């Protein structure tokens, strides 16, 4: 057993107790054998045995001779996590951190890809480098909601070029003329010094389209 596993069985016991308190593993139910639990937590069956042993000592679970694990008391599980000043086990925190790191890596790659595409997509965009891109959000009252970029004659009316559209967590580079604008969309545009004011008035100002 690794040092990590030796230190981890207490955290796994607390994690299982928390799942019992939350109702994810109901009182009176039976949970999978140690080998299956070991697969869920990615540790050895011996580490799971130690974790279940701690819960058994606290009368939270019982283990039959056939090694079937039954949930005995949710209230005992609550006492156990309270006694250990437990909010979230180290195991769960590590899992959350690993997930966040993966999400950050994906987001970093998307940002890098976005910048490269903006710079290298075409000669037209390269010629626009001196202009600083600005972001404009489409507000709830905007008259452009439900209209396509083509129908709005966006460039003709504003002099601005849309280089990206952000919708939630999705980013589209150089959205096509048939894209329909929605409330909450964020347009990334470039143009001359007055582009922000003119474009903001066009998409959110009181006007008839």
């Amino acid at each position: 057993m690794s040092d990590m596993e030796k230190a981890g069985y207490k955290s796994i016991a607390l994690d299982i107790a928390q799942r019992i308190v939350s109702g994810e593993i109901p009182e009176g139910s039976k949970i999978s054998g140690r080998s299956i639990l070991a697969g869920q937590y990615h540790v050895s069956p011996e580490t799971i045995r130690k974790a279940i042993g701690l819960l058994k000592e606290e009368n939270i679970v019982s283990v039959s001779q056939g090694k079937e694990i039954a949930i005995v008391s949710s209230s005992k599980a609550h006492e156990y996590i309270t006694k250990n000043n437990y909010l979230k086990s180290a195991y769960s925190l590590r899992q959350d951190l690993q997930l966040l790191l993966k999400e950050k890596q994906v987001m970093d790659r998307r940002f890098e890809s976005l910048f490269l595409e903006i710079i290298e997509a075409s000669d037209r965009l390269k010629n626009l480098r001196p202009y600083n891109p600005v972001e404009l959000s489409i507000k709830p009252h905007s008259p452009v909601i439900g209209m396509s970029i083509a129908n709005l004659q966006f460039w003709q009316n504003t002099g601005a070029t849309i280089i990206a559209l952000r919708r939630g967590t999705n980013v589209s580079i150089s959205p096509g003329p048939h894209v329909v604008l929605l409330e909450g969309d964020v347009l990334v545009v470039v143009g001359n010094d007055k582009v922000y004011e003119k474009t903001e008035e066009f998409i959110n100002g009181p006007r008839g389209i």
Side-chain angles (χ1 to χ4, degrees):
M1 185 188 302
S2 67
D3 292 339
M4 182 179 295
E5 288 189 2
K6 288 178 182 176
Y9 71 89
K10 294 180 181 178
S11 293
I12 292 174
L14 285 168
D15 195 70
I16 295 171
Q18 177 62 27
R19 291 168 66 187
I20 294 169
V21 172
S22 70
E24 179 186 343
I25 306 175
E27 184 178 304
S29 66
K30 295 178 174 60
I31 57 178
S32 304
R34 291 170 190 156
S35 61
I36 299 177
L37 276 175
Q40 291 177 350
Y41 285 97
H42 305 292
V43 295
S44 69
E46 175 64 13
T47 299
I48 293 297
R49 186 190 67 78
K50 285 180 171 289
I52 296 299
L54 287 178
L55 298 178
K56 183 179 178 182
E57 289 174 8
E58 299 290 336
N59 297 314
I60 297 169
V61 304
S62 66
V63 183
S64 68
Q65 289 185 346
K67 299 184 179 180
E68 185 177 62
I69 303 162
I71 310 305
V72 175
S73 173
S74 178
S75 61
K76 290 286 186 182
H78 186 272
E79 290 176 12
Y80 181 59
I81 62 176
T82 303
K83 180 174 66 176
N84 285 275
N85 192 28
Y86 172 83
L87 292 177
K88 199 165 189 181
S89 77
Y91 176 83
S92 290
L93 291 172
R94 280 200 304 273
Q95 295 293 96
D96 289 350
L97 179 58
Q98 289 172 359
L99 181 60
L100 285 174
L101 287 174
K102 287 180 181 178
E103 291 176 353
K104 180 180 182 300
Q105 289 170 355
V106 171
M107 188 61 69
D108 287 345
R109 286 195 295 270
R110 289 180 62 190
F111 272 119
E112 182 180 356
S113 175
L114 172 60
F115 286 130
L116 288 175
E117 289 194 57
I118 288 174
I119 292 171
E120 299 174 358
S122 69
D123 290 336
R124 182 173 64 88
L125 290 184
K126 289 179 181 178
N127 292 333
L128 292 173
R129 282 183 188 176
Y131 301 99
N132 293 323
V134 294
E135 292 191 358
L136 298 158
S137 297
I138 297 179
K139 298 175 182 176
H141 64 267
S142 170
V144 307
I145 293 172
M147 299 190 69
S148 70
I149 294 172
N151 288 339
L152 287 169
Q153 295 187 309
F154 197 89
W155 180 83
Q156 292 89 332
N157 280 294
T158 66
T161 299
I162 301 175
I163 60 174
L165 183 147
R166 180 154 50 86
R167 179 171 292 167
T169 58
N170 296 319
V171 177
S172 300
I173 306 299
S174 297
H178 302 299
V179 171
V180 174
L181 300 179
L182 304 177
E183 176 187 337
D185 283 353
V186 177
L187 301 177
V188 183
V189 303
V190 291
N192 60 29
D193 291 341
K194 295 183 179 179
V195 67
Y196 180 86
E197 180 181 351
K198 191 170 184 178
T199 310
E200 174 67 26
E201 182 180 351
F202 181 76
I203 67 171
N204 288 319
R207 61 188 302 281
I209 296 180

